[in-house]
Each structure stands twice: as structure tokens, then as C-alpha cells.
Amino acid sequence: MREFTQKAPLPVEVLKGLMAEARGARDKAYAPYSGFPVGAAVLSGDGVVFRACNVENGSYGLSVCAERNAVSMLVASGRVNPVAIAVAGPPGVPCTPCGACRQVLAEFNPSMAVVLEDGKGGLEVVSLEDLFPRPFQLGESRG
Ligand code: THU
């Protein structure tokens, strides 16, 4: 099985494949209220991909983002080692993870690679650290 670590940059074909998975998940989105479908695909260190979409609710505040649903899939499989996440918004619309999702992602790997669409048909890869420096940590707040 292919292994991925945070040390080496992820190969371009892996990043493209991860975005293809995110787009596939986006096509399953349940977003009748916002009309804004999102898909996310999380790559674990042992090379498995977990994908999910946003799931909205008529009680709007109960809607859950694609990224958090994808992390839940990873965790439910018994893994806690994401190395990358790709996020696909509506076709042609770049979408970065919301603040709540950044915090949840940082719980498992504060420096994971975040693969985004650049809105020009290409991909952009940023470190979660740069998107979300100094996540909340229980230890820090306890002093
Ligand atoms: N959404 C996501 O799934 N991920 C994000 O990072 C941003 C927003 C969803 C939530 C809601 O269902 C819709 O997009 C519009 O906000």
C-alpha cells in the first residue's frame, strides 16, 4: 500500500486524483437551500481516500459542511492521520474551508495539505498552517 508523509510534497497526480474525488463527492451534495454544493476528499497517510459532501437541513443551522463530513468518515474508519484534503465547490467557483472546518481539520493535522481549485482550471495547494495559524487547543487555553 502507498504511504504518504508530511515530509515529502505530494505528487501532482495524487493531488489531481484527490480533487477528482472531491468533485465526485460534490456531485452528491444535498444543498437545496443554499444551492452551493461542496465536496471534500481526505487522503490518509496509508493512502486511503474518504469523500463526503455538504448535507443541509431545513433547520438551516444543522447543515454540515463537506470537509467535516469527510473527516468524520476518516475517523469512523479508525484512522486519525489525514495528510491532505481537496475541496471542490460549485463548478468554476473556488471554495476554501470555512473557519469551523479549519479548526476541525487542525485537530488531526495542523499542517495538512489543502488542495483548492484556483478558478482558472488549475489547482492550488496550501498548508493548513497558513490558512489557519494557531488553532484553538485545550492545552494552550488551560495554561
Ligand atoms: N460549505 C461547505 O460544505 N464547506 C465549506 O467550506 C463552506 C460552506 C457548505 C455549507 C452550506 O451547505 C453551503 O456550503 C453554503 O454555505
Side-chain angles (χ1 to χ4, degrees):
M1 178 146 351
R2 201 161 172 187
E3 300 274 339
F4 298 102
T5 68
Q6 217 53 58
K7 287 174 199 124
L10 293 164
V12 172
E13 81 272 8
V14 171
L15 301 174
K16 286 185 177 169
L18 199 58
M19 182 54 80
E21 295 278 355
R23 290 178 182 137
R26 187 264 323 279
D27 293 340
K28 304 276 189 255
Y30 180 74
Y33 305 106
S34 71
F36 194 91
V38 183
V42 173
L43 176 68
S44 65
D46 58 336
V48 181
V49 174
F50 297 89
R51 51 191 256 182
C53 55
N54 53 336
V55 179
E56 298 188 344
N57 192 272
S59 176
Y60 299 160
L62 301 183
S63 301
V64 185
C65 294
E67 296 91 325
R68 269 175 286 160
N69 282 334
V71 167
S72 296
M73 301 290 284
L74 168 97
V75 173
S77 81
R79 293 172 177 82
V80 286
N81 59 342
V83 293
I85 184 167
V87 183
V93 181
C95 177
T96 60
C98 77
C101 288
R102 293 177 197 198
Q103 174 68 30
V104 169
L105 294 170
E107 172 82 15
F108 297 102
N109 181 354
S111 59
M112 78 174 75
V114 181
V115 187
L116 304 169
E117 294 174 313
D118 67 6
K120 294 176 278 184
L123 300 182
E124 187 189 358
V125 185
V126 289
S127 171
L128 181 58
E129 239 155 15
D130 294 327
L131 277 183
F132 196 63
R134 299 190 62 183
F136 171 76
Q137 283 174 330
L138 269 178
E140 236 176 57
S141 61
R142 282 174 175 166

